[in-house]
Amino acid sequence: MILSDTMREAALRFGDDVKESREGLGLTQMGLAKILHTYAANVASAERKGLTPQSKLFFEMCDELGLEPEDYGFQKDLVYLAKIAEWQNRKKIHCEK
């Protein structure tokens, strides 16, 4: 996918903010990956290259780290909100086991 300069800048700013927020919470990349049920390599890639809202991980990271998608020029839509709600429910069930 080809990103405009504005979208590329927003994605890179997102990556910087993910790293800063993760470190502020005392989480390693592996620790955040476990919370998000993904790989540490995906977290590292997001921090290095950023993410766009085409990725469900973008919204999951925003939710977990307290970042607002709107700060990066993106709008949440109902499909992504439903996916996040599903992910949070799975996470809750997993933690209760």
Side-chain angles (χ1 to χ4, degrees):
M1 175 171 67
I2 298 174
L3 298 177
S4 69
D5 288 343
T6 302
M7 288 180 69
R8 188 175 302 108
E9 289 171 15
L12 291 173
R13 192 172 73 252
F14 175 75
D16 291 341
D17 290 351
V18 166
K19 182 176 182 178
E20 183 179 322
S21 296
R22 174 185 60 75
E23 290 175 343
L25 292 170
L27 291 170
T28 62
Q29 290 177 340
M30 178 64 76
L32 180 58
K34 285 182 180 180
I35 291 169
L36 297 173
H37 304 283
T38 191
Y39 298 103
N42 291 339
V43 174
S45 179
E47 290 180 358
R48 195 173 55 257
K49 300 178 190 174
L51 288 174
T52 62
Q54 287 77 17
S55 169
K56 185 175 88 166
L57 189 56
F58 171 87
F59 290 100
E60 291 172 348
M61 285 183 162
C62 284
D63 185 57
E64 191 63 40
L65 298 172
L67 303 174
E68 294 295 328
E70 293 83 3
D71 291 344
Y72 308 97
F74 306 123
Q75 298 297 316
K76 296 178 185 176
D77 66 23
L78 294 177
V79 173
Y80 281 112
L81 290 175
K83 287 181 181 181
I84 289 172
E86 175 187 337
W87 169 78
Q88 288 174 330
N89 189 44
R90 280 195 325 260
K91 186 171 94 171
K92 180 180 175 187
I93 291 170
H94 179 72
C95 291
E96 291 173 352
K97 289 183 180 181

